[in-house]
């Protein structure tokens, strides 16, 4: 057995590496640099933890892990210690004495992994420590976690990450591994440049999260829609609800609580101790729903988050994918649900326009928002679009009841295929696990409606010399002679009343989608008035048909709903009554241990490990040893107890 595999087996209790882990671990253990792009839940931690142990065993000293968040360090170090690994962190939660103690252990070669925040790493004092270690050949590896923080194109920009180039400049002989779960092409290039990783070998895993069901619905009454979603599909389960503003976070948390949902607020405006308390409850207890701004999430390792909901539009697809990626890390079914509407589009656009940033930065941000809108308005597979955004082609599944051939989706691949053999890619991509695949949306021919709207936008400006907002334009088209309409004489426009047959919801949906396709833009500097863009021309001339999602007045239909039984972990579903009892007893025992150690329960044992124990009902330590997730340290520490608890429950 190779040293890496031995470590995986003995320390972490796992039988085999997943995906690209083995390759990455070999490369880094042998002293190579690596850039690892792997989705959330893909198993990035082991990619540097195993090499850290292998290199330590080979006498090369300590691995330094740069991590942006205290909570993350705490739980990761906790998990490593549970596995019997000599790990520690240095951050502001430690007092002087504790800090000195860790520094002493570091210099004495007693640590395998040391976690620290970037601002700590780049202090003269800390760099001095590293100098000493390096002088004795005792710096095994630099691991830069959440590497997208180095880029302003990422969504968690941390300027301190920029200073990390000092590591490479001062100790070029020490291998580096940078890891992130998010990076579109522009962010990826930025990471490479900023961290000087040009020579690092890139390892890009598939970003697909097959167990997450994507659903984007039209916003009517977001609170009511959210309540319905949680009550129907996720009662008693852990989830995160992302909101744009702090005020909304607090209102929603209160509303959910009134409905008997165990919800908590989290945003940067709350006192630090309350924030910490809420986060701890979310991580450590079962079934808590966190209402939060995007301040919440980085480093949330909780594996059993069953849903992530957005009641407001995120900033861009990277943000959306990162946030939704916090659902279902354990690989069991999970939901990503979003409600969005015209107002969201207008708000986001305004935030970009009014930000103090440079114009070319704003331009990139607008492009990113447009890509997100296109996703929201898409009538085809959401997953194919998400993956295409990250430069990945989705391998389409067979559509049930259809004779479609296996096809590959994703813009890049279609382009490569070229026009002449493009036809073989024509069948729509199908993932079988997003709203558009599960229940293809009704599509209607909105060409006529779109032309009338665009022409109204054109004519009011022509007549009055200024632009107008969505409400006024819809009034004109629907033939409503409001005071404002009469004031400007807009009832004399040729399009007045021409769209009386369209409902307001329909018009709103068409407007939103015209903004999404870049035919219209909202001018935030001028009272959110609408302006034509060049892309409107072919539509106005009738050269380009507009086919849009039908605005649905109906509540989310039943077909997308998953019965509760199927939502539960497959491992749990297969347990018989006696095993269920053992599982419950083990969970209760785990809860006590976790509280004693001040760690989240999953750090002690995962649900899947407990389920396997409950199922196999081992009688001896030997039998227990073979179960995934039980390494040598945990076997020694908890083996007898686990056998006792499981035995007593049967
Ligand atoms: P990431 O940091 O990429 O989101 P983690 O490193 O937290 O992912 O890993 C996700 C989960 O998968 C963890 O609970 C981890 O223990 C588990 N895991 C990772 N690699 C393996 C493996 N080779 N075998 C079994 N479980 C694994
Ligand atoms: Zn799909």
């Amino acid at each position: 057995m190779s040293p890496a595999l031995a470590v995986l087996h003995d320390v972490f209790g796992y039988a085999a590496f997943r995906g690209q882990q083995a390759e990455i671990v070999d490369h880094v253990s042998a002293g190579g640099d690596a850039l690892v792009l792997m989705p959330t839940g893909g198993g990035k931690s082991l990619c540097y933890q195993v090499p850290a142990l292998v290199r330590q065993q080979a006498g090369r000293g300590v691995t330094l892990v740069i991590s942006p968040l205290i909570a993350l360090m705490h739980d990761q170090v906790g998990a490593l210690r549970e596995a019997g690994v000599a790990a520690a962190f240095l951050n502001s939660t430690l007092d002087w004495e504790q800090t000195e103690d860790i520094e002493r252990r570091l210099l004495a070669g007693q640590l395998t992994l040391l976690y620290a925040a970037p601002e700590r790493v780049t202090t003269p004092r800390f760099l001095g420590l590293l100098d000493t270690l390096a002088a004795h050949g005792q710096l095994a590896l630099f691991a830069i976690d959440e590497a997208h923080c180095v880029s302003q194109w990422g969504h968690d920009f941390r300027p301190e990450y920029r200073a990390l180039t000092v590591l490479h400049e001062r100790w070029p002989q020490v291998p580096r591994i940078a890891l992130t779960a998010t990076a579109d092409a522009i962010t990826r290039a930025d990471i490479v440049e900023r961290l000087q990783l040009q020579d690092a070998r890139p390892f890009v895993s598939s970003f697909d999260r097959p167990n997450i069901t994507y659903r984007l619905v039209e916003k009517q009454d977001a609170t009511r829609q959210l309540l319905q979603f949680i009550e129907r599909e996720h009662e008693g389960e852990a989830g995160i609800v992302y909101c744009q503003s702090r005020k909304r976070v607090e209102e929603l948390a209160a509303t959910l609580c009134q409905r008997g949902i165990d919800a908590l607020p989290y945003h940067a405006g709350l006192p630090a101790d309350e924030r910490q308390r809420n986060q701890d409850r979310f991580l450590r207890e079962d079934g808590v729903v966190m209402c939060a701004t995007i301040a919440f999430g980085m480093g949330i390792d909780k594996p059993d988050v069953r849903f992530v909901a957005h009641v407001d539009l995120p900033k861009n697809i990277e943000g959306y994918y990162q946030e939704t990626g916090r659902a279902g890390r354990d690989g069991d079914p999970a939901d990503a649900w979003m409600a969005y509407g015209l107002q969201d589009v207008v708000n986001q656009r305004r935030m970009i326009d009014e930000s103090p940033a440079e114009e070319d930065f704003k331009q990139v941000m607008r492009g990113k928002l447009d890509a997100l809108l296109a996703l929201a308005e898409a009538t085809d597979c959401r997953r194919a679009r998400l993956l295409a955004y990250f430069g990945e082609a989705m391998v389409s599944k067979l559509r049930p009841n259809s004779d479609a051939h296996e096809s590959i989706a994703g813009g890049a691949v279609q382009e490569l295929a070229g026009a002449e053999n493009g036809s073989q890619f024509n069948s729509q991509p199908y993932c079988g696990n997003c709203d558009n695949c599960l229940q293809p949306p009704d599509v209607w021919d909105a060409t006529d409606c779109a032309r009338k709207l665009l022409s109204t936008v054109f004519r009011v400006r022509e007549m009055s010399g200024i632009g107008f907002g969505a409400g006024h334009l819809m009034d004109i088209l629907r033939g409503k002679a409001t005071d404002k309409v009469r004031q400007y004489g807009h009832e004399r426009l040729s399009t007045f009343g021409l769209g009386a047959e369209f409902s307001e919801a329909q018009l709103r949906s068409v407007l939103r989608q015209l903004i999404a396709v870049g035919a219209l833009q909202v001018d935030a500097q001028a009272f959110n008035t609408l302006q034509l863009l060049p892309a409107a021309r072919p539509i106005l001339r009738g050269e380009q048909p507009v086919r849009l999602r039908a605005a649905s007045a109906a509540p989310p239909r039943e077909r997308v709903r998953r019965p509760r039984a199927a939502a539960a972990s497959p491992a749990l579903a297969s347990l018989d009554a006696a095993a269920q009892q053992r599982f419950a007893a083990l969970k209760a025992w785990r809860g006590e241990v976790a509280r004693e150690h001040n760690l989240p329960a999953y750090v002690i044992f995962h649900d899947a490990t407990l389920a396997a124990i409950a199922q196999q009902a081992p009688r001896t330590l030997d039998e227990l040893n073979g179960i995934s997730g039980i390494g040598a340290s945990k076997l020694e520490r908890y083996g007898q107890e686990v056998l006792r608890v499981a035995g007593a429950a049967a």
Side-chain angles (χ1 to χ4, degrees):
M1 198 186 282
S2 79
L5 209 53
V7 164
L8 181 74
H9 192 263
D10 298 345
V11 178
F12 297 96
Y14 296 138
F17 285 112
R18 277 187 192 159
Q20 290 188 299
Q21 277 177 339
E23 248 185 302
I24 298 167
V25 164
D26 281 347
H27 179 73
V28 175
S29 299
D33 290 347
L35 172 63
V36 173
L37 288 91
M38 208 183 252
T40 308
K44 281 184 291 301
S45 319
L46 290 183
C47 294
Y48 60 84
Q49 289 170 349
V50 173
L53 282 150
V54 170
R55 287 178 72 78
Q56 166 78 290
Q57 286 166 5
R60 294 180 182 277
V62 65
T63 289
L64 174 65
V65 185
I66 290 100
S67 171
L69 273 190
I70 289 173
L72 186 64
M73 288 181 214
H74 178 266
D75 290 352
Q76 289 230 352
V77 167
L80 283 167
R81 288 188 180 158
E82 288 292 324
V85 180
F89 55 74
L90 274 179
N91 63 37
S92 54
T93 63
L94 303 181
D95 61 26
W96 184 239
E97 221 169 286
Q98 292 169 314
T99 305
E100 278 203 314
D101 180 51
I102 287 170
E103 288 179 359
R104 190 186 47 73
R105 287 171 58 202
L106 177 67
L107 291 176
Q110 289 169 2
L111 291 178
T112 303
L113 289 115
L114 177 68
Y115 284 70
E119 51 273 26
R120 164 82 56 151
V121 169
T122 48
T123 58
R125 181 181 173 87
F126 194 85
L127 293 174
L129 289 173
L130 295 184
D131 261 334
T132 312
L133 289 169
H136 294 88
Q138 288 302 299
L139 261 181
L141 174 67
F142 296 130
I144 303 171
D145 206 1
E146 312 285 357
H148 62 280
C149 290
V150 78
S151 171
Q152 64 169 345
W153 307 122
H155 43 83
D156 299 310
F157 180 39
R158 292 276 298 263
E160 313 87 65
Y161 261 67
R162 297 260 165 104
L164 291 174
T165 46
V166 68
L167 299 178
H168 178 54
E169 282 156 6
R170 266 170 94 155
W171 302 287
Q173 76 283 8
V174 177
R176 293 177 303 158
I177 173 173
L179 311 102
T180 176
T182 178
D184 59 338
I186 174 171
T187 312
R188 194 180 305 180
D190 210 26
I191 295 173
V192 168
E193 193 190 318
R194 298 278 176 186
L195 292 176
Q196 297 173 19
L197 285 166
Q198 288 83 355
D199 297 328
R201 184 162 149 204
F203 293 89
V204 183
S205 300
S206 166
F207 269 61
D208 191 15
R209 298 288 310 279
N211 59 316
I212 296 183
T213 310
Y214 298 96
R215 210 182 329 162
L216 288 79
V217 305
E218 204 179 305
K219 193 188 280 189
Q220 283 139 4
D221 173 349
T223 308
R224 184 184 54 76
Q225 288 171 291
L226 176 72
L227 275 168
Q228 207 167 54
F229 167 68
I230 297 178
E231 286 172 352
R232 282 191 184 172
E233 301 178 42
H234 291 288
E235 204 190 316
E237 295 182 327
I240 308 174
V241 180
Y242 281 109
C243 316
Q244 185 111 119
S245 72
R246 299 174 180 184
K247 184 163 157 270
R248 185 88 172 107
V249 163
E250 296 191 1
E251 284 168 7
L252 255 188
T255 309
L256 294 187
C257 283
Q258 277 164 17
R259 292 284 288 245
I261 296 166
D262 192 1
L264 295 170
Y266 188 104
H267 60 70
L270 290 175
D273 59 333
E274 184 178 348
R275 240 171 27 217
Q276 190 59 46
R277 211 167 44 239
N278 290 356
Q279 172 164 324
D280 284 349
R281 276 203 55 208
F282 177 78
L283 291 177
R284 285 161 174 66
E285 294 176 21
D286 280 337
V288 175
V289 173
M290 189 67 102
C291 296
T293 61
I294 53 167
F296 179 74
M298 192 166 47
I300 297 301
D301 272 356
K302 189 177 171 62
D304 56 353
V305 176
R306 293 271 68 86
F307 70 91
V308 170
H310 284 88
V311 292
D312 296 306
L313 196 67
K315 275 196 178 53
N316 49 45
I317 293 185
E318 292 91 311
Y320 172 75
Y321 208 62
Q322 182 82 357
E323 284 145 29
T324 55
R326 294 180 182 127
R329 287 169 93 105
D330 53 11
D332 288 342
D335 273 308
W337 181 93
M338 175 163 109
Y340 88 109
L342 180 58
Q343 198 54 42
D344 285 310
V345 181
V346 173
N347 289 348
Q348 287 282 3
R349 196 63 65 180
R350 191 175 53 223
M351 274 171 21
I352 296 172
D353 290 346
E354 290 176 352
S355 83
E358 298 288 321
E359 188 47 40
D360 47 352
F361 179 83
K362 289 185 186 179
Q363 212 48 51
V364 174
M365 287 302 154
R366 285 190 200 107
K368 290 190 169 219
L369 175 60
D370 288 344
L372 178 62
L373 295 178
L375 170 76
E377 299 294 355
T379 54
D380 53 6
C381 178
R382 312 274 195 196
R383 187 180 311 276
R385 283 186 174 248
L386 284 166
L387 292 176
Y389 183 80
F390 295 106
E392 188 179 333
M394 183 180 85
V395 176
S396 200
K397 289 192 177 157
L398 270 186
R399 205 178 277 272
N401 313 322
S402 94
D403 54 1
H405 299 292
E406 185 158 284
S407 71
I408 295 182
V413 173
Q414 287 185 359
E415 260 168 50
L416 283 180
E420 66 281 359
N421 52 9
S423 59
Q424 81 185 86
F425 298 103
N426 271 350
S427 57
Q428 279 210 347
Y430 177 82
C431 77
N433 199 18
C434 75
D435 51 1
N436 288 349
C437 284
L438 290 167
Q439 182 180 48
D442 293 334
V443 176
W444 67 295
D445 185 347
T447 311
D448 175 55
C449 184
R451 287 178 72 188
K452 286 173 176 166
L453 267 171
L454 293 174
S455 128
T456 307
V457 174
F458 176 75
R459 281 167 210 280
V460 292
R461 191 174 283 274
E462 193 186 44
M463 179 185 231
S464 308
I466 52 172
F468 290 82
H472 185 70
L473 293 160
M474 291 193 294
D475 285 342
I476 297 173
L477 207 54
R478 299 183 73 204
K480 285 195 185 165
T482 61
D483 291 349
K484 191 169 173 183
V485 167
R486 274 198 299 267
Q487 181 193 341
Y488 287 98
H490 287 164
E491 74 278 12
R492 298 197 305 275
L493 286 172
S494 60
T495 56
F496 183 79
L498 268 191
E501 78 267 32
F502 301 117
S503 70
E504 190 179 317
Q506 265 175 328
L507 291 179
R508 260 186 205 287
S509 145
V510 176
L511 276 175
R512 202 175 59 225
Q513 299 181 62
L514 287 171
I515 296 170
V517 300
L520 276 179
Q521 78 174 2
V522 179
D523 186 348
Q525 254 88 52
F527 309 104
N528 295 332
T529 54
L530 291 166
Q531 277 174 358
L532 293 184
L533 291 177
R537 220 167 285 149
I539 300 174
L540 266 170
R541 289 206 208 101
E543 291 162 8
Q544 187 182 317
V546 181
R547 293 176 56 74
L548 300 179
R549 291 179 80 87
S552 62
R557 272 162 285 185
E558 304 298 299
R559 254 172 68 192
V560 181
R561 262 176 72 190
R562 213 180 18 242
R564 285 270 297 162
S569 147
L572 294 188
S574 64
L575 296 184
D576 63 22
Q580 292 279 4
Q581 256 176 28
R582 283 191 287 272
F583 181 69
L586 286 165
K587 245 180 122 164
W589 165 82
R590 178 183 67 177
E592 283 168 30
V593 177
R595 264 189 301 282
E596 254 166 53
H597 295 208
N598 186 27
L599 285 170
Y602 57 84
V603 165
I604 311 296
F605 285 118
H606 280 196
D607 279 3
T609 303
L610 292 190
I613 299 171
Q615 166 100 58
Q616 294 173 30
R619 290 165 182 280
T620 65
L621 287 177
D622 241 15
E623 286 170 13
L624 193 59
N625 194 13
I627 291 174
S628 178
I630 304 182
S633 161
K634 288 190 179 173
L635 186 69
E636 191 188 319
R637 210 177 296 196
Y638 302 123
Q640 293 295 356
E641 273 291 278
V642 165
L643 292 178
R644 184 188 62 74
V645 172

